[in-house]
Amino acid sequence: MTSSSDDDIQLMQQLANGEDLALNTLMARWRGRVAAFLLRMVGDHATAMDLTQESFVRLYTSRHRYQPTAVFSTYLFHIAANLARSHIRWKGRHPTVPLTDNEGAMIHESADPQLSPDDAAALHEKTTLVNQAIAILPTDLREALLLFTVEDMSHTEVAAALGCSAKAIEVRIYRARQMLRGIIAKQAP
């Protein structure tokens, strides 16, 4: 375990012992990554922000049940993934028509001043294509792929966060990549 991970465990223990300010430190450290994960899962900024807040509310309410048996991020992303799944199921039962176009809401590429305008436009098109393909993936494949590739978690950590075996995660990531290739091949001009 890293010292950052040890710090997170210590903060959770402080939180469980009644030091509520420890939550502020955990939120400052993890809010961005949790929000980015949730944005990629649900595809809507406002919903992702709401689910991020709810993730930390749930973290706080479960502070007494937390056991440092794995990396802290595994515990936190387990909470966030469950909230994302619940929201996606709810949206499936309560479909709505968006008022605005959320294109580009998934992954934002950084502007590279070294790129020519043509190269920057091509990069933007590729990023948009990948974002759209990721959004199409089934929830279980999307969350496994995002936690593994974007959050740089190991198969074991992703498995713990999603409540399944490491082998199942390996299969999900493989399937997600295969589906992405197929989706992108169909969408490519």
Side-chain angles (χ1 to χ4, degrees):
M1 268 189 231
T2 65
S3 63
S4 176
S5 181
D6 293 341
D7 291 345
D8 294 332
I9 291 170
Q10 184 178 3
L11 288 166
M12 278 303 292
Q13 290 169 340
Q14 291 172 359
L15 191 59
N17 291 331
E19 296 178 41
D20 291 348
L21 291 178
L23 182 62
N24 292 344
T25 306
L26 287 169
M27 287 178 68
R29 186 175 290 166
W30 289 98
R31 180 184 297 131
R33 288 178 64 184
V34 170
F37 168 72
L38 289 168
L39 177 60
R40 290 177 182 103
M41 286 300 298
V42 300
D44 175 68
H45 186 270
T47 302
M49 295 304 103
D50 289 345
L51 292 176
T52 299
Q53 288 295 78
E54 182 63 23
S55 295
F56 287 103
V57 168
R58 300 257 175 112
L59 180 70
Y60 179 78
T61 58
S62 68
R63 67 194 179 280
H64 297 296
R65 292 188 307 270
Y66 173 73
Q67 295 295 317
T69 57
V71 180
F72 170 77
S73 61
T74 302
Y75 186 73
L76 181 58
F77 280 101
H78 175 76
I79 293 169
N82 282 341
L83 287 170
R85 272 186 243 128
S86 294
H87 175 77
I88 291 166
R89 278 192 304 269
W90 185 87
K91 287 292 283 183
R93 292 188 306 269
H94 304 89
T96 59
V97 176
L99 297 175
T100 60
D101 180 20
N102 284 333
E103 186 177 316
M106 299 288 275
I107 300 173
H108 301 285
E109 72 272 7
S110 59
D112 185 351
Q114 304 293 330
L115 291 178
S116 70
D118 288 342
D119 290 342
L123 178 61
H124 177 74
E125 286 178 30
K126 286 179 185 177
T127 303
T128 301
L129 193 63
V130 171
N131 288 339
Q132 291 169 346
I134 290 171
I136 293 171
L137 290 175
T139 304
D140 61 332
L141 302 183
R142 185 170 61 235
E143 63 192 3
L145 181 69
L146 291 173
L147 289 174
F148 181 71
T149 58
V150 177
E151 293 303 324
D152 200 27
M153 292 177 144
S154 69
H155 287 163
T156 305
E157 291 169 334
V158 175
L162 301 181
C164 59
S165 70
K167 187 64 178 171
I169 294 304
E170 188 177 328
V171 170
R172 287 180 189 181
I173 292 168
Y174 175 79
R175 286 183 182 162
R177 288 177 172 160
Q178 293 299 97
M179 285 184 74
L180 281 176
R181 283 186 191 102
I183 294 166
I184 291 171
K186 289 178 186 174
Q187 291 178 346

